[in-house]
Amino acid sequence: MFTPVPNPTTKPVPAKFGEQDLIRRSASSITPPAKRQTEVAKLIDVSKCIGCKACQVACLEWNNLTEDVGVNTGVYDNPHDLTENTWTLMRYTEYENAESGNLEWLIRKDGCMHCEDPGCLKACPAPGAIVQYSNGIVDFVHDKCIGCGYCIKGCPFNIPRISKADSKAYKCTLCVDRVAVGQGPACQKACPTQAIVFGTKDEMKQWADHRIKDLKSRGFKNAGLYDPPGVGGTHVMYVLQHADKPQIYASLPNNPSISPIVELWKGATKYAGLAAIGAFAAIGFLHQIVVGPNRVSREDEENAERLTEGKSP
Amino acid sequence: MSKPEIEAGDSVHPGNPVIVDRYTVAARINHWVTAISLVLLALSGLALFSPALYFLTGLFGGGQLTRIIHPWIGVVLFLSFMGLFFRFFRLNLWERTDSVWMARLRAVLAGDENKLPEVGKYNAGQKMVFWSMSLLILVLITSGIVIWDQYFGPYFTIEQKRIAVLIHSVTAIVAICVWIVHVYAAIWVRGTIGAMTRGQVTGGWAWRHHRKWLRDLVTTGKH
Ligand code: HEM
Ligand code: SF4
Ligand code: SF4
């Protein structure tokens, strides 16, 4: 058993990190702090999840969110997708394992992965609307958000959702407010089976190793850790029974990375675009200086007069 | 002689100097609405395009409002440009002499108009601006709708939106460059702005830059 994060003191404690610990800020250039905080991570062990949705409820509870009453379409997923209020969602897949002949119920807790290289932050045009702390947490700052939805285009995991109520983007915060005072995320706290554990990224990787060994000893020979290198690793990781096939877990991307289209849009296009506009303006300016204005002459006016009077100009 | 190259409302008033009516009030209003919406679109779009220009959102009352208002101005631009399109497209059809004009671009840029074929109401450069803007605005509205999440979000996939936003930004840059050429030409060729404000130019201007148009006006007797 992983030693859980102890209960908090009831006394107020100062926040362990804040503005001064930002390593990335959307649409801004900042100097990252000299010293990086220890990276944190949440580890979700899919093999231990019983699908009780306590985490989903704890998330609503802690973040003071209410989900609309939905409709039952015959599956356990409820609601059917992430929403501006549902920042984490249990996705259920019935998987027929051809090798073992078993029917496996794969239950994946979907939500923001807190990418080391966050595509949402890269795409965001509003300065400071998305920030990344040096411990790896990616957070949305709602009073700076303009609701453009660019973060949705940037995210390789299809996570952010725009609220219909206030047109701002919402997603899991990794309980940045709890972590700042030494607590684990609410979902982790609520999980009855320790399928969700929280700690430093190194601790989580070690714990994952231990879990993977255990799974392998039980015949899950492809058990492994999901910490995709395409986005520089993530601060929410999964232990998967079938790490060679992440896509069977309700379409978890196989090898996610920021889309090359987004990289092009946010990279070369910006420089080339501004340079092109500048070049056209400069060419106009130079032409004016070198050639000078194209003026109508006295002779032109006289020619026009002769033409209108029916004389040959 | 080919068919006269004039638009409704074009006429010439003999005198000293000769005055030529180039655009009707309706055409001018149509053009101004288009011009203002294009400038507002460029400013609000560029604000989101580059962090260095984000301060431009201040002109529109902040980031949220810029994001809300931009596509609506786009709709105005599109409808308004449709008006211009149907007004002007006939005389913007490409002709053989236009290719000759383009081939002698060096003379054009030097202001050496005697070396060029006589030009009707629009020269080849103006026609290129007209057709490229027509195409660009069509692409801008199409890609703009795909990324207009507030109303059209559910109708397109994320991948389609990624492609659309890339196309939209590149097309917008090209449109802004074409706009710079268009505005610069109007400033460089002195006496042109009057066509946009009062709807009139002098006979000398028409003789120098659009001689075939002036001849057509005189021969058709549009006084
Ligand atoms: C014709 C109809 C148009 C529509 C429906 C439209 C719609 C949009 C939308 C929905 C966005 C995303 C931001 C937002 O939600 O406001 C956007 C961004 C943008 N638009 Fe437009 N637009 C149109 C025309 C134009 C024009 C004419 C220009 C420039 C001349 C322009 C330049 C831009 C730029 C530069 C961006 C930012 C792209 C980026 O962030 O890289 N748009 N437009
Ligand atoms: S919706 Fe908000 S957070 Fe998302 S990209 Fe736009 S401004 Fe940034
Ligand atoms: S999963 Fe998506 S929303 Fe979360 S940090 Fe990565 S890119 Fe951003």
Side-chain angles (χ1 to χ4, degrees):
Chain A
M1 147 138 182
F2 186 78
T3 325
V5 183
N7 279 331
T9 86
T10 47
K11 302 202 178 61
V13 286
K16 292 185 173 178
F17 59 92
E19 281 287 304
Q20 71 283 1
D21 293 299
L22 294 185
I23 48 170
R24 282 196 181 91
R25 189 174 183 273
S26 58
S28 332
S29 41
I30 54 166
T31 5
K35 200 171 164 298
R36 200 173 162 162
Q37 293 225 338
T38 317
E39 286 180 62
V40 296
K42 179 164 81 181
L43 182 70
I44 302 168
D45 185 344
V46 177
S47 69
K48 275 185 149 192
C49 175
I50 56 170
C52 69
K53 300 182 184 170
C55 52
Q56 221 178 293
V57 175
C59 180
L60 295 169
E61 195 64 37
W62 176 258
N63 294 298
N64 200 15
L65 302 165
T66 318
E67 188 53 74
D68 292 339
V69 176
V71 285
N72 188 338
T73 60
V75 293
Y76 276 80
D77 306 32
N78 177 18
H80 308 305
D81 194 8
L82 293 168
T83 71
E84 62 267 38
N85 297 316
T86 293
W87 300 347
T88 187
L89 174 69
M90 308 314 293
R91 296 189 186 270
Y92 298 76
T93 311
E94 285 159 26
Y95 172 63
E96 281 178 58
N97 190 331
E99 265 172 67
S100 66
N102 286 342
L103 177 70
E104 293 176 23
W105 209 18
L106 307 177
I107 307 164
R108 176 167 72 87
K109 178 183 181 296
D110 195 10
C112 175
M113 301 295 286
H114 296 270
C115 309
E116 179 62 17
D117 184 10
C120 56
L121 190 149
K122 176 163 256 167
C124 178
I130 304 182
V131 294
Q132 185 181 34
Y133 295 99
S134 67
N135 60 9
I137 296 180
V138 178
D139 200 17
F140 285 11
V141 181
H142 299 112
D143 57 351
K144 303 221 169 64
C145 170
I146 64 168
C148 60
Y150 286 8
C151 46
I152 300 174
K153 299 163 187 68
C155 175
F157 295 94
N158 182 12
I159 299 300
R161 294 291 183 271
I162 305 283
S163 159
K164 282 173 283 305
D166 67 1
S167 288
K168 288 169 191 280
Y170 291 90
K171 70 159 188 70
C172 156
T173 67
L174 203 60
C175 284
V176 67
D177 46 352
R178 294 172 59 94
V179 175
V181 294
Q183 283 301 294
C187 54
Q188 170 271 154
K189 182 96 184 165
C191 179
T193 65
Q194 277 209 339
I196 310 172
V197 286
F198 181 82
T200 70
K201 182 146 179 175
D202 288 340
E203 279 169 349
M204 291 301 106
K205 281 183 169 167
Q206 274 169 25
W207 184 249
D209 276 349
H210 160 82
R211 288 293 309 139
I212 291 160
K213 274 201 202 88
D214 179 56
L215 284 168
K216 285 192 169 154
S217 76
R218 294 160 191 244
F220 291 101
K221 60 179 189 305
N222 292 316
L225 179 67
Y226 186 81
D227 178 23
V231 290
T234 52
H235 295 90
V236 171
M237 305 183 292
Y238 292 110
V239 169
L240 304 177
Q241 304 94 320
H242 310 286
D244 56 327
K245 298 192 275 285
Q247 68 281 3
I248 64 173
Y249 296 84
S251 308
L252 183 62
N254 208 344
N255 187 12
S257 63
I258 300 178
S259 158
I261 304 168
V262 172
E263 297 277 11
L264 184 61
W265 164 43
K266 286 285 157 176
T269 310
K270 303 284 146 175
Y271 302 106
L274 294 179
I277 293 177
F280 271 76
I283 290 169
F285 186 71
L286 281 177
H287 183 264
Q288 185 68 33
I289 288 176
V290 175
V291 180
N294 183 344
R295 284 209 173 86
V296 176
S297 65
R298 187 65 238 139
E299 202 187 332
D300 291 327
E301 295 295 358
E302 283 162 8
N303 280 333
E305 281 162 32
R306 275 196 287 274
L307 180 73
T308 50
E309 284 156 16
K311 299 179 210 150
S312 84
Chain B
M1 205 187 120
S2 58
K3 63 176 176 5
E5 282 205 29
I6 54 175
E7 278 167 1
D10 294 354
S11 70
V12 44
H13 308 284
N16 181 7
V18 177
I19 296 294
V20 189
D21 289 343
R22 191 163 162 89
Y23 294 116
T24 60
V25 178
R28 272 177 284 151
I29 292 175
N30 197 169
H31 184 258
W32 275 112
V33 171
T34 310
I36 292 167
S37 22
L38 189 80
V39 170
L40 292 177
L41 279 162
L43 292 173
S44 53
L46 285 174
L48 304 189
F49 180 74
S50 165
L53 300 173
Y54 189 77
F55 70 91
L56 291 171
T57 54
L59 295 173
F60 302 88
Q64 280 264 2
L65 277 168
T66 306
R67 185 266 305 163
I68 293 169
I69 211 167
H70 173 95
W72 284 110
I73 308 176
V75 173
V76 173
L77 174 85
F78 180 71
L79 296 176
S80 170
F81 190 84
M82 290 252 281
L84 285 188
F85 183 86
F86 288 110
R87 260 174 225 284
F88 297 155
F89 88 94
R90 188 175 59 86
L91 291 195
N92 275 288
L93 295 173
W94 200 258
E95 286 169 26
R96 250 203 15 240
T97 47
D98 291 320
S99 307
V100 179
W101 194 94
M102 278 314 294
R104 299 187 194 157
L105 202 60
R106 194 179 281 273
V108 174
L109 289 175
D112 223 351
E113 285 168 73
N114 288 330
K115 295 195 183 139
L116 301 171
E118 289 194 3
V119 168
K121 182 155 183 176
Y122 302 109
N123 64 37
Q126 292 168 311
K127 289 180 183 180
M128 300 243 293
V129 167
F130 176 86
W131 288 111
S132 50
M133 274 299 182
S134 306
L135 184 69
L136 290 165
I137 289 174
L138 198 63
V139 175
L140 280 166
I141 184 125
T142 315
S143 56
I145 283 174
V146 177
I147 54 173
W148 197 352
D149 277 1
Q150 190 163 7
Y151 304 106
F152 302 99
Y155 302 111
F156 304 99
T157 66
I158 292 176
E159 192 64 8
Q160 287 166 338
K161 291 178 197 176
R162 286 178 183 146
I163 297 168
V165 75
L166 176 64
I167 292 177
H168 194 80
S169 54
V170 172
T171 320
I173 295 300
V174 177
I176 292 169
C177 293
V178 172
W179 176 84
I180 292 175
V181 171
H182 177 63
V183 173
Y184 175 68
I187 297 171
W188 174 52
V189 179
R190 296 293 200 269
T192 308
I193 304 293
M196 221 184 139
T197 52
R198 282 165 285 113
Q200 294 178 324
V201 290
T202 67
W205 185 92
W207 171 267
R208 185 179 177 89
H209 306 299
H210 299 275
R211 199 168 298 169
K212 182 163 176 299
W213 176 59
L214 184 64
R215 287 193 202 285
D216 285 352
L217 281 173
V218 172
T219 46
T220 52
K222 289 270 183 192
H223 291 295

